[in-house]
Amino acid sequence: MSVRKITRALISVFYKDNLEPLVRLLGKHGVEFVSTGGTQEFIEKLGFSVTPVEKLTGFPSIFGGRVKTLHPAIFGGILYRRDDNNDLNQAKEFNIGPIDLVIVDLYPFEETVANGNDEGAVIEKIDIGGISLIRGAAKNFRDVLVVSSRRQYDEVHQLLQTNNCVTTLGDRKKFAALAFDNTSHYDSAIFNYFNQEFQIPSYKKSIQGGRTLRYGENPHQKGRYYGDLEGLFEQLHGKELSYNNLVDIDAAVNLLHEFGDEHAFVIIKHTNACGAATGASVKDAYVKAFQADTISAFGGVLATNKTLDLPAAEEINKLFFEILIASGYTEEALTLLRTKKNRMLLLQKARLSEVKQAKTILNGIIEQDLDLKTDAREDLKVVTKKAPGPAEVNALLFASKICKHTKSNTIVLAVEGQLLASGVGQTSRVDALKQAIEKATAFGFSLHGAVMASDAFFPFPDCVEIASQHGISAVIQPGGSVKDQESINFCDQHNMSMVFTGIRHFKH
């Protein structure tokens, strides 16, 4: 039979939030309750009688609660097949009654780890009986409905209320799939906890929750996002975020993170900064960022790490943009910015906390540590006779931050607190420099006294030679080429300063 009437329910949960309406509905339909411990007390306080698990098993809860439900009287009632005569005869022989509904959640393992508890406390939150009950009920979905999370209570309540506690095979199979989602996620979290110590070469990453996107990178591609986006952002206005929007948002917030408490503003197009600046105010930073490329900024993703006020909003409102991200908005700014219905306004609630990066490649996945190194003053090694002045050092460090977040090969040209231009994603570093110079010139910037940053070393002195011809006075690069000395010599001969960081920042 594809439909099953629920007559007996095993309920044992850690979280009892919103459980009451479901218990009352089951009780109204005469369902027998089987339970133990705190859940048994909870159900009895609602006025319903409960058959204790201990009565069915003939054993008390032992070993500090580690063993309660692991018994044939419980698992037999869940797993025996109602349409198999041998199973039916054995159930009768051993006096095993059917259990048609299992409502069980899992100990809060991830929360216990996140709270910094010691290993002993963490280990005690590895669920044994609960996860076994869930898996058993999910395996026998042809006969049993399993509810494996408090997030499912409302949906199950609606289902059972509508159908008078009768379920279909499709209902039960769906909740079985949800159960295996929960158990596999749980096991992945446990493995990753243990694997911090042993580094077993096995990749397990489980993310629950996601959303279907309008499409992927292009309209003919399907797309989904997996993750808790609401934990990072509150969308205050605008249409649904797209795949490409999310990719650019990621680029924007990662670049902004480099600037700490400075008033910073970035404009992103296809994951690269076409504008970036720091300033005395958000408005000041935005105006300087916009100057770097007033064409590419059209339709871009804008972001600031500060509260966006009305003066900044009045400037920004003149531009057509897709997305604006800020750590806060004044009411006046928000009212003005909401006048265009499709632009997306995001409030950033938290910083990114990931320390690893992974992507699919070939027939597998590659993973690496995130590039969390920000070049600082103490990293700079002056390799030329002339040392950069204070303003040049500030400009070099500023340019290096942008360079780190720009697609390789890249060259970034800047002055203190302002991006002038960048050459992005070129197959040759010389081409990247030429592209940057061309852009800076096109937007009316003089490069006299500007600085140059490179994501990797110069294999030849050609880049410093070209830079010198346009008045660039200081250079920051990792160093490490067998021909470093040729670049150093040229800088010495042309009154340029150059610093090495010893850190490469490729981005592919």
Side-chain angles (χ1 to χ4, degrees):
M1 293 176 62
S2 65
V3 296
R4 291 280 187 266
K5 175 75 174 179
I6 295 172
T7 61
R8 198 178 192 208
L10 169 64
I11 307 178
S12 180
V13 296
F14 187 89
Y15 296 108
K16 298 166 184 65
D17 319 44
N18 206 28
L19 179 63
E20 180 179 341
L22 189 52
V23 170
R24 291 194 181 280
L25 177 64
L26 294 169
K28 175 183 174 183
H29 284 272
V31 174
E32 178 190 347
F33 294 110
V34 177
S35 190
T36 186
T39 308
Q40 178 182 340
E41 294 177 12
F42 177 85
I43 297 171
E44 288 173 339
K45 285 181 180 178
L46 295 178
F48 300 102
S49 61
V50 179
T51 301
V53 164
E54 294 83 351
K55 183 176 180 180
L56 294 182
T57 64
F59 274 89
S61 174
I62 57 177
F63 307 130
R66 283 188 166 199
V67 179
K68 290 185 285 189
T69 57
L70 295 169
H71 193 280
I74 301 298
F75 281 86
I78 294 170
L79 282 164
Y80 87 80
R81 291 158 290 194
R82 276 58 159 177
D83 58 357
D84 185 294
N85 287 330
N86 289 331
D87 284 11
L88 289 169
N89 289 334
Q90 282 192 317
K92 185 176 181 180
E93 177 185 355
F94 295 105
N95 195 30
I96 295 174
I99 295 175
D100 314 301
L101 170 63
V102 172
I103 303 176
V104 174
D105 61 9
L106 299 169
Y107 291 161
F109 178 83
E110 289 180 281
E111 292 89 337
T112 304
V113 173
N115 289 336
N117 288 277
D118 61 29
E119 185 176 278
V122 170
I123 297 305
E124 287 308 308
K125 287 298 184 287
I126 297 177
D127 207 315
I128 303 300
I131 201 165
S132 301
L133 290 166
I134 291 171
R135 288 177 62 84
K139 176 176 180 176
N140 200 25
F141 67 86
R142 292 187 176 277
D143 300 304
V144 180
L145 175 67
V146 59
V147 181
S148 55
S149 168
R150 56 182 166 169
R151 297 188 300 270
Q152 299 165 10
Y153 290 170
D154 287 341
E155 184 179 357
V156 172
H157 183 275
Q158 181 64 41
L159 172 70
L160 298 184
Q161 185 177 54
T162 302
N163 299 301
N164 296 313
C165 283
V166 172
T167 64
T168 67
L169 180 61
D171 296 331
R172 297 190 297 275
K173 191 171 185 179
K174 172 189 172 181
F175 280 93
L178 291 169
F180 286 122
D181 174 37
N182 284 329
T183 58
S184 63
H185 178 81
Y186 195 76
D187 282 337
S188 293
I190 295 170
F191 167 77
N192 288 327
Y193 172 78
F194 278 90
N195 206 36
Q196 293 175 102
E197 180 177 352
F198 299 104
Q199 297 298 303
I200 297 166
S202 180
Y203 183 82
K204 288 180 173 62
K205 180 77 171 177
S206 176
I207 300 175
Q208 289 187 298
R211 59 171 71 184
T212 299
L213 304 174
R214 296 197 302 272
Y215 50 81
E217 196 163 7
N218 299 293
H220 64 280
Q221 296 170 270
K222 293 180 180 179
R224 284 187 64 83
Y225 174 80
Y226 297 98
D228 181 19
L229 198 61
E230 287 74 21
L232 287 176
F233 302 103
E234 179 183 351
Q235 185 163 354
L236 304 177
H237 184 69
K239 60 186 180 181
E240 183 183 353
L241 296 169
S242 72
Y243 180 101
N244 291 330
N245 291 154
L246 291 170
V247 172
D248 281 341
I249 289 169
D250 179 72
V253 296
N254 274 291
L255 176 54
L256 268 182
H257 183 67
E258 300 286 343
F259 295 102
D261 292 330
E262 296 180 88
H263 284 85
F265 205 103
V266 301
I267 304 172
I268 300 294
K269 202 69 173 289
H270 296 290
T271 74
N272 295 301
C274 61
T278 56
S281 65
V282 176
K283 177 183 176 181
D284 181 40
Y286 165 71
V287 170
K288 289 163 64 179
F290 179 65
Q291 288 170 348
D293 189 339
T294 57
I295 296 174
S296 297
F298 183 87
V301 172
L302 283 57
T304 181
N305 56 355
K306 296 294 183 181
T307 296
L308 199 134
D309 55 16
L310 184 60
E314 288 172 336
E315 281 296 323
I316 292 168
N317 198 51
K318 301 172 185 176
L319 175 70
F320 169 77
F321 62 87
E322 284 264 315
I323 298 167
L324 176 59
I325 307 162
S327 61
Y329 296 84
T330 66
E331 283 299 321
E332 299 86 352
L334 206 51
T335 299
L336 174 62
L337 293 167
R338 280 173 167 161
T339 56
K340 305 289 178 64
K341 68 175 184 177
N342 285 331
R343 60 173 50 152
M344 291 157 272
L345 305 178
L346 300 181
L347 173 69
Q348 186 172 357
K349 300 188 292 184
R351 286 187 169 186
L352 298 177
S353 58
E354 292 294 319
V355 296
K356 296 284 186 179
Q357 183 180 46
K359 65 179 177 181
T360 57
I361 187 171
L362 300 175
N363 61 348
I365 291 171
I366 53 175
E367 183 189 48
Q368 66 173 352
D369 298 335
L370 277 172
D371 184 359
L372 299 176
K373 172 61 180 174
T374 300
D375 296 330
R377 293 177 192 276
E378 56 269 25
D379 300 316
L380 305 185
K381 178 184 177 183
V382 179
V383 294
T384 50
K385 294 176 182 177
K386 180 184 178 183
E392 287 177 318
V393 169
N394 291 338
L396 289 168
L397 293 173
F398 174 86
S400 176
K401 292 173 182 177
I402 300 168
C403 204
K404 170 184 166 183
H405 292 273
T406 305
K407 187 174 178 62
S408 300
N409 288 312
T410 184
I411 293 289
V412 169
L413 306 179
V415 291
E416 185 176 4
Q418 184 179 26
L419 170 66
L420 302 184
S422 57
V424 176
Q426 298 300 303
T427 53
S428 147
R429 202 159 300 282
V430 170
D431 287 344
L433 175 56
K434 289 179 178 178
Q435 182 189 58
I437 291 170
E438 182 180 349
K439 283 194 70 174
T441 304
F443 288 102
F445 290 110
S446 167
L447 295 177
H448 185 78
V451 304
M452 174 172 72
S454 175
D455 58 334
F457 65 64
F458 298 120
F460 304 101
D462 44 11
C463 282
V464 291
E465 292 170 3
I466 296 169
S468 174
Q469 293 168 11
H470 290 82
I472 291 167
S473 63
V475 180
I476 184 171
Q477 59 138 320
S481 168
V482 295
K483 295 189 176 182
D484 275 345
Q485 194 59 49
E486 294 183 22
S487 294
I488 294 170
N489 291 342
F490 182 89
C491 288
D492 284 340
Q493 294 162 10
H494 293 81
N495 199 34
M496 295 172 68
S497 60
M498 184 157 61
V499 297
F500 286 1
T501 64
I503 301 292
R504 189 179 72 186
H505 292 294
F506 269 166
K507 186 173 187 289
H508 295 108

